[in-house]
């Protein structure tokens, strides 16, 4: 392909090499990369995207009308290295006829594994235990010291029994979970695999020992987990969120945790991200916060990078994408 025919592509971050190799080997892309592990500054994004035919972005890049205007009429495809797409101005993108690729499915197992790890770490107070070992708080064996909550015989409630929610439920059942409750728009046939009981949100919240949030962020789910929500939970219950930070009202969560309304919380997602180091939630021993690492395995990130690159190339050539978001 001649220099005149090369299609301009802007990549907003340094991504795993698996994806970059695919784009370079294709021989059709005039690649411009923000070669950093840190997000591209807004001013640079607006400058670099100008005239692009393709945009490869991340969840932290806000792709709104201003960015689309800066890109101009050449933009054919946006490929995001994420399963979430709430950072994209979907209505505006649809209006302009731009195709969107994303990466569902490939991060399901990694996110489900991390969710289970976070649930166990929170329920069994592992971060507190590690800290006590380091600061000299470990003196002798004590019957009630650092006691937490176990899964055996418990009731687990999953809000959002989609791909990831079901994968989480599959992994939790062998721990001896007695009941698996779920809620959503409608019953899911696949819930039979984990003996899932379809119940109302109120029933799930009030009867579960562990409440796991695995739903997508929509206008209906924004601030779903608020003061009213936490007030219905058991005082011994554990709250886990690995979906999106904005599903939770963090001020209300802080109040629920600090007042003893619920026992503990584990979060892999917050609002904003990163969470400021002086945020009140970080002062609590019964709140475990991770830096959004649900999909952070070498294998998963590599596969995500490959899929993102292939989505982008398909969008540039007008072919069928491996994973296209239907707008």
């Amino acid at each position: 392909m001649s220099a005149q025919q090369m299609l301009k592509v802007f990549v907003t971050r340094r991504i795993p090499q698996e994806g970059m190799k695919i784009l370079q080997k294709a021989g059709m892309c005039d690649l411009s990369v923000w070669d950093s592990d840190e997000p591209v500054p807004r001013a640079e994004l607006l400058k670099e995207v100008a005239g692009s035919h393709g945009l490869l972005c991340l969840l932290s890049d806000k792709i709104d009308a201003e960015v689309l205007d800066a890109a101009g009429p050449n933009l054919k495809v946006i490929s995001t290295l994420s399963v979430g797409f709430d950072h994209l101005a979907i209505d505006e993108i649809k209006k302009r006829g731009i195709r969107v690729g994303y990466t569902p499915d490939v991060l399901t197992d990694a996110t489900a594994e991390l969710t289970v790890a976070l649930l166990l770490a929170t329920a069994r107070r592992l971060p507190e235990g590690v800290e006590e070992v380091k600061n000299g708080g470990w003196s002798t064996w004590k019957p009630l010291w650092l006691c937490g909550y176990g899964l055996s015989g418990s009731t687990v409630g999953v809000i959002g029994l989609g791909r990831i929610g079901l994968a989480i439920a599959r992994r939790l059942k062998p721990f001896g979970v007695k009941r698996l409750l779920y809620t959503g728009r409608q019953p899911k046939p696949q819930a039979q695999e984990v003996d899932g009981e379809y119940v109302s949100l109120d029933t799930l919240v009030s009867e579960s020992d562990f409440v796991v949030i695995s739903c997508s962020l929509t206008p209906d789910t924004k601030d779903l987990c608020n003061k009213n929500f936490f007030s219905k939970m058991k005082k011994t219950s554990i709250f886990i969120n690995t979906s999106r930070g904005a599903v939770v009202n963090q001020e209300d969560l802080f109040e629920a945790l600090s007042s003893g309304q619920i026992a503990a919380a584990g979060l892999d997602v917050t609002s904003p991200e990163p969470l400021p180091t002086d945020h009140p939630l970080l002062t609590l021993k019964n709140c475990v916060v991770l830096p959004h690492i649900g999909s952070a395995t070498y294998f998963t990130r590599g596969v995500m990078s490959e899929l993102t690159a292939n989505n982008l190339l398909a969008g540039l050539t007008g072919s069928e994408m491996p994973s296209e978001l239907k707008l």
Side-chain angles (χ1 to χ4, degrees):
M1 187 174 280
S2 70
Q4 286 78 15
Q5 293 171 306
M6 295 286 273
L7 300 174
K8 184 178 178 184
V9 170
F10 179 51
V11 181
T12 67
R13 192 85 62 88
R14 189 183 295 152
I15 65 170
Q17 278 303 303
E18 290 90 336
M20 287 306 298
K21 286 176 182 174
I22 288 171
L23 294 178
Q24 290 160 352
K25 191 177 177 182
M28 58 184 285
C29 301
D30 175 13
L31 286 171
S32 175
V33 181
W34 181 254
D35 194 18
S36 170
D37 288 329
E38 298 304 317
V40 58
R42 182 73 174 180
E44 289 294 324
L45 171 60
L46 294 171
K47 183 174 80 175
E48 295 287 348
V49 80
S52 291
H53 298 86
L55 174 63
L56 193 157
C57 67
L58 276 68
L59 196 62
S60 50
D61 302 313
K62 187 176 173 61
I63 309 302
D64 54 15
E66 185 182 24
V67 174
L68 300 176
D69 287 341
N74 285 344
L75 192 61
K76 295 180 176 183
V77 57
I78 297 169
S79 186
T80 181
L81 198 147
S82 66
V83 63
F85 46 87
D86 43 280
H87 57 304
L88 307 178
I90 293 298
D91 290 343
E92 195 66 34
I93 290 166
K94 184 178 180 181
K95 191 194 305 180
R96 300 176 191 224
I98 299 166
R99 296 172 70 189
V100 175
Y102 70 135
T103 62
D105 300 327
V106 296
L107 49 70
T108 297
D109 288 339
T111 304
E113 288 170 5
L114 187 280
T115 303
V116 174
L118 178 58
L119 185 152
L120 291 170
T122 304
R124 294 299 303 273
R125 302 171 65 179
L126 301 192
E128 284 183 75
V130 170
E131 188 56 35
E132 290 297 295
V133 172
K134 289 180 176 180
N135 67 20
W138 181 17
S139 56
T140 185
W141 188 89
K142 305 166 193 172
L144 293 175
W145 188 54
L146 286 176
C147 281
Y149 298 91
L151 278 162
S152 183
S154 70
T155 296
V156 173
V158 178
I159 297 179
L161 200 72
R163 287 182 299 267
I164 294 174
L166 185 62
I168 293 167
R170 283 195 197 109
R171 286 161 172 76
L172 289 177
K173 285 292 283 185
F175 282 91
V177 171
K178 188 176 181 181
R179 294 176 71 203
L180 195 292
L181 312 181
Y182 75 100
T183 190
R185 292 191 189 93
Q186 59 195 22
K188 301 272 183 93
Q190 61 267 35
Q192 295 175 6
E193 182 190 333
V194 290
D195 301 319
E197 302 173 40
Y198 181 67
V199 296
S200 68
L201 180 63
D202 278 359
T203 298
L204 182 147
V205 172
S206 62
E207 296 186 9
S208 296
D209 299 299
F210 299 88
V211 175
V212 180
I213 310 299
S214 186
C215 58
S216 55
L217 177 62
T218 67
D220 289 336
T221 60
K222 188 175 188 306
D223 281 338
L224 172 71
C225 306
N226 54 24
K227 187 173 185 175
N228 183 49
F229 180 101
F230 296 122
S231 72
K232 295 171 183 172
M233 288 176 66
K234 299 178 182 179
K235 291 189 182 300
T236 53
S237 59
I238 309 288
F239 176 82
I240 302 293
N241 183 22
T242 55
S243 61
R244 285 290 175 267
V247 173
V248 180
N249 182 308
Q250 291 176 169
E251 289 71 26
D252 291 350
L253 175 60
F254 174 79
E255 180 58 34
L257 288 167
S258 55
S259 69
Q261 177 61 54
I262 65 173
L267 312 173
D268 184 43
V269 287
T270 59
S271 184
E273 292 184 356
L275 198 65
T277 54
D278 60 353
H279 194 281
L281 284 174
L282 300 181
T283 66
L284 301 174
K285 285 188 175 181
N286 59 343
C287 187
V288 178
V289 182
L290 300 179
H292 201 153
I293 53 171
S295 64
T297 68
Y298 290 113
F299 174 78
T300 300
R301 292 286 171 83
V303 174
M304 286 174 71
S305 184
E306 288 178 0
L307 179 54
T308 306
N310 286 322
N311 280 338
L312 184 88
L313 293 175
L316 289 174
T317 56
S319 350
E320 185 179 345
M321 282 187 191
S323 190
E324 183 168 6
L325 184 62
K326 299 303 179 186
L327 304 181

